[in-house]
Amino acid sequence: IRRLEESVVNRIAAGEVIQRPSSAVKELVENSIDAGASTVSVAVKDGGLKLIQVSDDGHGIRFEDLPILCERHTTSKLSAYEDLQTIKSMGFRGEALASMTYVGHVTVTTITEGQLHGYRVSYRDGVMENDPKPCAAVKGTQVMVENLFYNMAARRKTLQNSNDDYPKIVDFISRFAVHHINVNFSCRKHGANRADVHSASRLDAIRNVYGVSVVRDLMEIEVSDENAVDGIFTMDGFISNANYVAKKTTMILFINDRLVDCTSLKRAIEFVYSAILPQASKPFIYMSINLPREHVDVNIHPTKKEVSLLNQEHIIETIKDAIEEKLMNSNTTRIFQTQTVNSSALAQANTQKEKGTDVSTATGAKSQKIPVSQMVRTDPLDPSGRLHTYWHGQSSNLEKKSDLVSVRNVVRSRRNPKDAGDLSSRHELLTEIDSNLHPGLLDIVKNCTYVGVADEVFALIQHNTRLYLVNVINVSKELMYQQALCRFGNFNAIQLSEPAPLRELLTMALKDDESMRDENDKEKLEIAEVNTEILKENAEMINEYFSIHIDQGGNLTRLPVVLDQYTPDMDRLPEFILTLGNDVTWDVEKECFRTAAAAIGNFYALHPPILPNPSGNGIQLYKKDVDQELLAEAEATWAQREWTIQHVLFPSMRLFLKPPKSMATDGTFVQVASLEKLYKIFERC
Ligand code: ADP
Ligand code: MG
């Protein structure tokens, strides 16, 4: 073991802080902002490898400070560790300039207020190369970094081989320009007249940097949460609407004026977009979050690229909800002008209600003056509900799986942004869904807590003080129908492990079909033949719109993903194919979409499995047979179904289902108890 020389240690450390030219630019620009500059100009040569020059009109650097300016751990911004808690400046480690001198040649020209002339001095490996030379200077500081990574051959090579860093640099400056609207930024290639970044007001800045079309599709968003327990937090910014279509997400995030990344927030936002606007699932986001300084730990990443926050989950959840609400409202506004008033009034009612619940759960019920008979102990914001957790202590395995599931969903739903959104008959069908919406049921669906399955068909949910039975088959059928229309033309695909011949599927279905009992086998074969032809004729269309793929040989090879992480019961595939062939109206576009979506809805709905439920009446059947394997399979199937209802169906239902009016009266939602009434009964006892 040998002790490394200090210069080696420093160079290694420097390579970490300054990873590439764009990280040097970021540090230099942050220094300029810390110095109170109102103009920052950046010039770059050869992607920053040859030259980076950042000039500002900030307060400058005092002559006395120049000798130690580029030593490691020299800073004017921090003196005691405790200051970190409240630090306002972006820098605090005193490492950036020093690092640059270990991996490049740094020259600083600076003048402080009231001086007659400035000074210029060059640095290498942390120290001055010569005494500062007096020189003419304009207000502020200019830092020049030349030959970056001249002494790190491998790094230089990879950077030369990889794409030029200039776009990254422009990207950084653009983000700063959007956020710091009272600083004028410019960025250009050395020698070029035209600057690639300029700025003015925030929207102007976005327009200048990202283009007019982006600005046109932005909506302003604002959230503040002044819940005393969690501390104050505010967010404001711009988010793109349904018309913004891009290949990838642009997320400009500032937390307490620091440009940072926050992967979990980005994911959460992308999830909301892909759920609500599958066609515009890659949004443009500019967001500025402000928190009490002591709630942000800025010291978790060497280049300060990430920060950690107190109550991160809560903050993300709040932002996610706000975006969801904004998108939902804007979505309906876009298509159905007449509905706006209604839905926003309802949304308002919802938020008020939510606030009410929040207070009662957060501060304990006793201090609140809510009568016991109206006290709600469950939390609709908890996706899996609370009561259920008490009943099934061991289900934690599955819970973990559901986290993974939601992450994967985001990744998957991202892949397929074809545009098929402008078919008017599909829009008409979507309009029908909206005009048929039952607002009361929508409120129940959005804010309910899942309690558990009640029997083969019904599940129990709680909404405020009421308990409802929900027909799982009906709601899932409707949900799948609506999703089939929403995701229209944009499905991900389920690939069948083996192509399934349509003819065989149809023959199978016809054999099981009660109404076909009287037909003989020859006739059935003919029907199968005709249907196969019909499906083959329409194969291209159903593939494009519904991602049901039939190959040349008349085999089914792909089915659509209607809900992420959900595959339909393949026992029902023959019946589905028969319905497609027989019951879809192929010649009228709108009816065709409606009937095809309905067929999909029926196939994907959560019907009870074909094997009888072993924990219900079905148990006798298994006893007689004493078929252990079958019993095990049945148990697994039913357990899986229960899990899917809780973790896939209900969460998706809250997000997507627009319950039609008919569901209020057809037994889909049935109120079984209300706390107020129960209390009356108990009081009598
Ligand atoms: P840090 O920003 O973490 O303090 P740096 O190495 O980036 O560390 O900078 C060291 C010090 O140099 C800063 O604390 C600041 O006092 C001074 N400095 C750097 N750049 C400028 C600038 N553009 N204008 C004025 N002072 C600067
Ligand atoms: Mg700095």
Side-chain angles (χ1 to χ4, degrees):
I1 298 177
R2 246 172 282 121
R3 201 178 289 280
L4 285 175
E5 279 192 32
E6 208 183 311
S7 63
V8 180
V9 175
N10 284 332
R11 202 192 294 176
I12 293 175
E16 238 168 56
V17 179
I18 306 299
Q19 295 173 342
R20 46 194 314 143
S22 55
S23 30
V25 173
K26 177 173 181 261
E27 291 291 342
L28 292 174
V29 170
E30 286 185 343
N31 278 349
S32 297
I33 296 172
D34 283 345
S38 55
T39 307
V40 179
S41 344
V42 181
V44 173
K45 203 172 181 174
D46 204 3
L49 288 177
K50 192 113 215 114
L51 171 78
I52 295 169
Q53 187 179 302
V54 177
S55 319
D56 66 51
D57 60 354
H59 54 53
I61 303 164
R62 289 185 309 176
F63 175 73
E64 310 86 276
D65 290 334
L66 288 174
I68 59 159
L69 174 68
C70 292
E71 254 174 52
R72 262 186 98 188
H73 309 307
T74 56
T75 177
S76 56
K77 300 167 193 173
L78 183 76
S79 47
Y81 181 79
E82 289 66 36
D83 299 349
L84 257 189
Q85 287 222 330
T86 51
I87 194 140
K88 287 202 179 71
S89 62
M90 275 171 271
F92 54 82
R93 289 180 209 227
E95 269 184 328
L97 282 179
S99 302
M100 285 175 225
T101 69
Y102 286 99
V103 294
H105 304 137
V106 175
T107 305
V108 177
T109 310
T110 186
I111 183 168
T112 48
E113 211 175 343
Q115 298 299 305
L116 293 175
H117 59 81
Y119 288 97
R120 173 171 305 145
V121 57
S122 298
Y123 295 84
R124 193 147 327 172
D125 296 340
V127 294
M128 295 198 289
E129 284 193 305
N130 52 328
D131 280 339
K133 286 201 188 77
C135 66
V138 287
K139 182 178 187 237
T141 307
Q142 183 192 71
V143 181
M144 206 158 71
V145 184
E146 288 165 291
N147 301 321
L148 199 60
F149 306 128
Y150 72 97
N151 51 1
M152 298 173 91
R155 175 89 54 105
R156 215 181 149 83
K157 230 190 204 130
T158 47
L159 283 169
Q160 271 166 344
N161 287 342
S162 76
N163 282 333
D164 191 333
D165 232 23
Y166 186 67
K168 269 213 174 67
I169 294 173
V170 171
D171 188 56
F172 263 129
I173 309 290
S174 307
R175 287 160 192 256
F176 279 118
V178 169
H179 184 70
H180 295 278
I181 41 176
N182 26 21
V183 182
N184 259 307
F185 290 91
S186 73
C187 177
R188 63 195 160 84
K189 281 193 174 150
H190 190 75
N193 293 327
R194 199 177 61 89
D196 296 306
V197 181
H198 272 308
S199 58
S201 83
R202 180 147 300 137
L203 274 180
D204 282 344
I206 299 178
R207 183 180 302 117
N208 288 337
V209 175
Y210 294 94
V212 195
S213 58
V214 176
V215 176
R216 202 181 43 213
D217 296 336
L218 291 184
M219 311 182 274
E220 201 163 3
I221 186 160
E222 221 174 338
V223 180
S224 62
D225 179 5
E226 270 143 48
N227 186 339
V229 191
D230 294 324
I232 297 149
F233 122 76
T234 61
M235 180 275 273
D236 65 270
F238 292 94
I239 62 173
S240 57
N241 63 20
N243 302 322
Y244 178 81
V245 179
K247 289 215 181 65
K248 68 184 225 285
T249 303
T250 304
M251 171 126 180
I252 306 174
L253 174 64
F254 282 81
I255 296 181
N256 287 353
D257 297 325
R258 262 169 222 285
L259 177 60
V260 290
D261 285 341
C262 180
T263 322
S264 34
L265 177 62
K266 187 172 170 194
R267 277 221 193 102
I269 295 176
E270 288 185 324
F271 184 71
V272 175
Y273 269 86
S274 67
I276 300 173
L277 304 174
Q279 269 124 350
S281 63
K282 282 164 192 131
F284 180 97
I285 309 281
Y286 159 75
M287 202 172 267
S288 168
I289 298 177
N290 277 293
L291 297 158
R293 309 236 163 235
E294 60 275 17
H295 285 191
V296 184
D297 187 353
V298 291
N299 194 24
I300 61 160
H301 193 276
T303 66
K304 297 162 281 176
K305 195 170 139 238
E306 292 206 4
V307 292
S308 85
L309 314 176
L310 198 66
N311 299 318
Q312 182 155 318
E313 273 103 77
H314 171 72
I315 291 171
I316 292 181
E317 201 55 38
T318 314
I319 293 178
K320 202 174 113 188
D321 289 348
I323 293 184
E324 192 182 316
E325 192 184 325
K326 188 103 198 171
L327 292 183
M328 291 286 213
N329 287 342
S330 75
N331 210 11
T332 43
T333 318
R334 190 170 63 101
I335 315 173
F336 321 110
Q337 312 275 329
T338 49
Q339 292 258 314
T340 351
V341 182
N342 258 343
S343 64
S344 67
L346 190 72
Q348 226 168 10
N350 284 349
T351 41
Q352 269 162 13
K353 217 168 282 164
E354 261 166 37
K355 269 185 202 144
T357 345
D358 261 5
V359 174
S360 65
T361 42
T363 52
K366 291 223 176 74
S367 60
Q368 293 294 316
K369 294 278 183 299
I370 302 175
V372 237
S373 66
Q374 283 164 30
M375 225 164 74
V376 178
R377 294 181 183 78
T378 56
D379 177 6
L381 298 178
D382 181 346
S384 52
R386 290 245 168 101
L387 287 179
H388 196 267
T389 340
Y390 296 123
W391 292 359
H392 296 262
Q394 0 64 323
S395 63
S396 64
N397 232 344
L398 294 172
E399 313 271 335
K400 255 184 234 139
K401 200 163 138 209
S402 86
D403 280 352
L404 200 76
V405 164
S406 62
V407 174
R408 263 205 238 124
N409 287 349
V410 178
V411 179
R412 280 176 157 210
S413 49
R414 188 105 321 144
R415 263 186 231 143
N416 200 356
K418 252 185 297 155
D419 193 37
D422 37 306
L423 285 167
S424 63
S425 34
R426 172 206 175 218
H427 269 299
E428 282 168 35
L429 290 171
L430 288 172
T431 318
E432 274 173 30
I433 293 175
D434 275 84
S435 53
N436 233 335
L437 176 78
H438 188 293
L441 286 182
L442 183 69
D443 183 37
I444 294 179
V445 165
K446 286 250 169 287
N447 299 298
C448 71
T449 302
Y450 178 76
V451 179
V453 289
D455 66 6
E456 272 128 72
V457 175
F458 286 97
L460 266 178
I461 57 168
Q462 182 186 346
H463 179 253
N464 294 338
T465 55
R466 316 237 153 97
L467 209 54
Y468 294 86
L469 278 173
V470 184
N471 184 318
V472 170
I473 304 171
N474 288 1
V475 290
S476 59
K477 201 183 285 184
E478 181 65 25
L479 176 68
M480 303 293 177
Y481 167 76
Q482 295 182 359
Q483 279 300 295
L485 288 173
C486 285
R487 297 193 171 197
F488 192 87
N490 265 312
F491 292 95
N492 288 313
I494 305 172
Q495 185 85 34
L496 302 193
S497 51
E498 264 170 50
L502 292 180
R503 203 167 284 118
E504 263 173 50
L505 290 172
L506 287 163
T507 326
M508 241 162 119
L510 289 166
K511 217 177 273 168
D512 290 346
D513 197 325
E514 295 289 321
S515 62
M516 292 277 165
R517 193 148 273 172
D518 305 330
E519 319 283 330
N520 62 32
D521 281 358
K522 191 162 155 266
E523 274 167 315
K524 283 185 186 169
L525 215 67
E526 256 165 42
I527 299 177
E529 207 56 51
V530 172
N531 278 316
T532 310
E533 283 316 307
I534 295 180
L535 290 175
K536 270 160 82 179
E537 263 165 42
N538 293 290
E540 199 180 327
M541 192 263 290
I542 49 176
N543 182 38
E544 185 178 345
Y545 295 151
F546 294 108
S547 184
I548 299 171
H549 185 252
I550 295 164
D551 67 12
Q552 299 283 329
N555 301 305
L556 178 75
T557 61
R558 277 205 297 271
L559 287 170
V561 176
V562 176
L563 265 196
D564 294 321
Q565 286 307 305
Y566 177 74
T567 2
D569 181 356
M570 287 300 163
D571 286 338
R572 294 181 181 274
L573 182 60
E575 182 194 328
F576 170 60
I577 296 297
L578 183 61
T579 320
L580 268 192
N582 254 350
D583 302 348
V584 171
T585 317
W586 294 103
D587 36 10
V588 188
E589 189 183 75
K590 183 171 165 190
E591 280 318 296
C592 170
F593 294 166
R594 187 206 302 279
T595 45
I600 292 175
N602 191 39
F603 174 33
Y604 281 67
L606 275 145
H607 297 280
I610 286 172
L611 285 172
N613 187 357
S615 55
N617 293 337
I619 192 68
Q620 286 122 9
L621 194 121
Y622 296 97
K623 266 193 194 130
K624 249 186 270 156
D625 276 356
V626 210
D627 187 338
Q628 285 307 313
E629 226 169 84
L630 201 65
L631 180 62
E633 192 190 329
E635 271 168 357
T637 317
W638 281 87
Q640 174 65 38
R641 177 174 195 262
E642 197 174 323
W643 187 87
T644 308
I645 292 175
Q646 182 183 356
H647 295 282
V648 180
L649 179 66
F650 273 86
S652 321
M653 196 176 97
R654 284 153 155 283
L655 269 180
F656 308 123
L657 183 70
K658 296 179 173 164
K661 297 196 179 97
S662 59
M663 281 190 173
T665 48
D666 68 359
T668 305
F669 285 82
V670 186
Q671 186 189 320
V672 283
S674 89
L675 202 56
E676 294 91 339
K677 285 197 185 134
L678 285 180
Y679 264 85
K680 276 197 198 114
I681 296 169
F682 289 142
E683 273 161 16
R684 262 186 251 131
C685 301

